[in-house]
Amino acid sequence: MIDPALHDLMVEFRHDFHRHPELGFQETRTAGRIAEALSDWGLAVHRGKGVVGVLKAGQSHRTIALRAEMDALPIQETSGLDHASRVEGVMHACGHDGHMAMLLGAAKHLADSPDFDGTLVFVFQPNEENGLGARAMLDEDCLRRHGIEEIYALHNLPGAPLGEISTRSGLICSSESLFEIEIQGQGGHASMPHTGSDTILVGAEMVQALQSIVARRLAPAAGAVVSVTDFTTNGARNVLPSRVRLTGDARARSPKDRDEIERLMRRIAAGVELGQDVTIRVGFNTEFVETINNTACAAAAVEVAQRVTDRVCGDRQPMSFSEDFSHFLSVVPGCFLLIGNGTEGAHGKPLHASDYDFNDGLLILGASYWAALVHDRLAVGRA
C-alpha cells in the first residue's frame, strides 16, 4: 500500500474536482490542475484533447498506460455535501473525480519512488460520457505516439462491496447504439382520423414491435437491451400530428447482435411503413463499441489485485453499461476493472444519480492498486 499520507492530497484533489465539474470537451480547469500537478512532480506533460503525463525509469523500452476520465454530467446535484458541485446543472455523478484523484495519487507516489523499469503513461481523457473522448485522443495518435503496449482503466461501482476489485477476460461492457426513428405521414383533424395517417398510432406500433427484437429474435442469454427513451410529435389538442420522432438506446454484447438489432429495426420499420402508408426513416449510430478485455492483461490485473486486497472477483458478470475505454482496447490490449464503492448512503446510490458520491475510502486502495500494477507490468529485470 502506498503512503497513507497521500490520502489527504487525493481527497483535496477529489473534492476540488467535485466542486468544479466540467462537461465533455469543456474540461479546461480540470485539465489545467492535472497538468500543473504532473509537471510539478517531474513528469513530461502533453496537452491536446486530454492530458498525458509520461514518467520514465530504468532502461526498458516497455510502455504501459493508465487511464482516468475528466468529464462530468449535465445533472443538478442534490447530495447536500460540503463538497457538492458549485456549477449549476453539472456534477460528477459517475465518480470520474475519484478516478482522477486515484491516478494522481499513483503518479505522485511513483514519481517520488520510481522503482519500475520502463515508461509509464498517465492518460486523462475528456468526454467519456458521450463516447467521444477516447476517439478524439486516438485521432491525435495518443497511444501510438507514446509507444503504449498495454492500457488499463479502473471504474468505481456503487452497490458493490467497498474495495472489491472485479473484472473478467473478454467482454466486460456492452456496446451502446443510439437510434432515431422519424415517422412522416398525413396530419389531420382529431375528429376525422380516417383522413390522415395517425402517426401517433404508428409510433406506438413501432415502440411495441421494437421490443420483439430482444424478446423473440435474439437468444435469451444475449444480454441485449432496446429502449425507446423519447416520443415526440408535432401534434396539438385537436390536431393529429404529421410527424413522430422516437429516440432510444440499444445495448449489445457482441458485434453480431449489434448488427442484427439494426437490421431488424430497419426491417420492422419497412414493414410498418408499407402497412400504414407512412414514410419512416431510421438512424442508427454506435457511440460505444463492446469493451473487450485482453485475456493475458486481465489475468495479470487479477493477480495484482489479489496482492492488494482479499476482495477480488476475476470472472464477474459483464456489465450492461458502456465505456469508451473500448476504443482504446481496439488499438492496444488492456483491461477494464471495477472497484466497489460500497453500499451505504450516497456511496451506494446508482451511477448518474443526483445524490451519488464517490467514496474517499477507495483512494488509497485505488492508488495502491495502480502502483502494484506498474511494479508488475514494468518489473525491474523483466525481459
Side-chain angles (χ1 to χ4, degrees):
M1 303 293 280
I2 67 173
D3 186 352
L6 275 177
H7 181 260
D8 290 345
L9 176 64
M10 288 189 283
V11 169
E12 179 186 342
F13 273 117
R14 210 279 288 184
H15 288 192
D16 181 67
F17 292 143
H18 196 94
R19 290 188 186 99
H20 302 95
E22 296 173 302
L23 296 175
F25 291 143
Q26 299 175 28
E27 305 97 332
T28 306
R29 181 186 184 278
T30 304
R33 281 223 66 191
I34 291 169
E36 181 181 21
L38 296 176
S39 180
D40 287 347
W41 300 335
L43 281 74
V45 177
H46 306 269
R47 296 284 298 270
K49 293 293 186 181
V51 180
V52 174
V54 180
L55 183 63
K56 296 183 180 182
Q59 302 300 316
S60 172
H61 295 296
R62 284 183 50 78
T63 303
I64 69 167
L66 311 177
R67 184 219 69 166
E69 324 91 305
M70 300 189 293
D71 59 321
L73 286 152
I75 296 172
Q76 181 65 42
E77 182 161 2
T78 61
S79 69
L81 297 166
D82 289 342
H83 57 271
S85 171
R86 296 177 181 175
V87 181
E88 188 74 18
V90 183
M91 76 168 287
H92 273 293
C94 201
H96 295 180
D97 50 341
H99 303 165
M100 289 183 283
M102 290 189 296
L103 195 53
L104 285 170
K108 178 68 166 68
H109 169 77
L110 291 163
D112 290 342
S113 304
D115 48 350
F116 61 92
D117 189 13
T119 301
L120 177 56
V121 181
F122 297 90
V123 176
F124 294 86
Q125 74 152 86
N127 208 346
E128 187 280 328
E129 295 292 353
N130 294 309
L132 301 174
R135 287 189 289 186
M137 296 191 77
L138 288 172
D139 287 344
E140 296 176 332
D141 210 23
C142 168
L143 300 190
R144 297 196 190 282
R145 185 183 340 127
H146 295 289
I148 294 167
E149 299 167 319
E150 297 175 0
I151 188 166
Y152 298 84
L154 188 61
H155 199 295
N156 79 101
L157 184 62
L162 180 64
E164 178 187 76
I165 297 177
S166 62
T167 190
R168 61 180 285 112
S169 174
L171 180 129
I172 188 167
C173 295
S174 300
S175 63
E176 181 188 21
S177 302
L178 304 180
F179 62 84
E180 178 177 311
I181 299 172
E182 187 170 293
I183 304 166
Q184 191 74 40
Q186 177 61 59
H189 199 288
S191 67
M192 296 178 284
H194 62 289
T195 64
S197 305
D198 195 355
T199 54
I200 286 184
L201 186 61
V202 178
E205 181 179 348
M206 281 294 303
V207 171
Q208 287 190 305
L210 291 175
Q211 298 312 306
S212 70
I213 294 175
V214 171
R216 291 294 180 266
R217 300 308 299 273
L218 299 181
V225 181
V226 175
S227 298
V228 176
T229 57
D230 192 35
F231 188 129
T232 57
T233 83
N234 66 342
R237 174 182 170 180
N238 60 350
V239 178
L240 291 174
S242 61
R243 186 175 69 254
V244 162
R245 180 174 173 268
L246 308 176
T247 57
D249 174 288
R251 309 279 173 147
R253 293 184 176 179
S254 73
K256 179 181 177 182
D257 284 347
R258 172 163 38 98
D259 291 343
E260 183 67 355
I261 289 171
E262 180 179 5
R263 186 186 74 82
L264 291 170
M265 191 173 291
R266 294 186 184 279
R267 184 175 178 179
I268 289 169
V272 173
E273 181 180 59
L274 182 63
Q276 297 288 2
D277 193 25
V278 293
T279 300
I280 301 180
R281 182 189 64 81
V282 177
F284 192 94
N285 180 44
T286 299
E287 299 281 357
F288 300 80
V289 296
E290 296 79 11
T291 305
I292 311 293
N293 283 339
N294 175 270
T295 299
C297 293
V302 169
E303 184 179 344
V304 171
Q306 290 168 342
R307 297 178 201 163
V308 298
T309 179
D310 57 0
R311 288 184 167 181
V312 180
C313 176
D315 191 26
R316 70 157 301 111
Q317 289 296 309
M319 305 300 296
S320 60
F321 63 66
S322 305
E323 244 292 342
D324 86 340
F325 188 65
S326 58
H327 296 297
F328 289 136
L329 292 181
S330 68
V331 177
V332 296
C335 184
F336 179 77
L337 302 100
L338 297 155
I339 185 167
N341 200 55
T343 60
E344 302 298 323
H347 304 145
K349 299 290 185 177
L351 294 173
H352 297 195
S354 63
D355 53 351
Y356 160 85
D357 191 44
F358 181 88
N359 195 329
D360 289 337
L362 288 180
L363 293 171
I364 287 290
L365 178 61
S368 295
Y369 176 77
W370 282 140
L373 184 67
V374 171
H375 294 151
D376 178 83
R377 306 313 289 161
L378 298 178
V380 175
R382 177 174 177 167

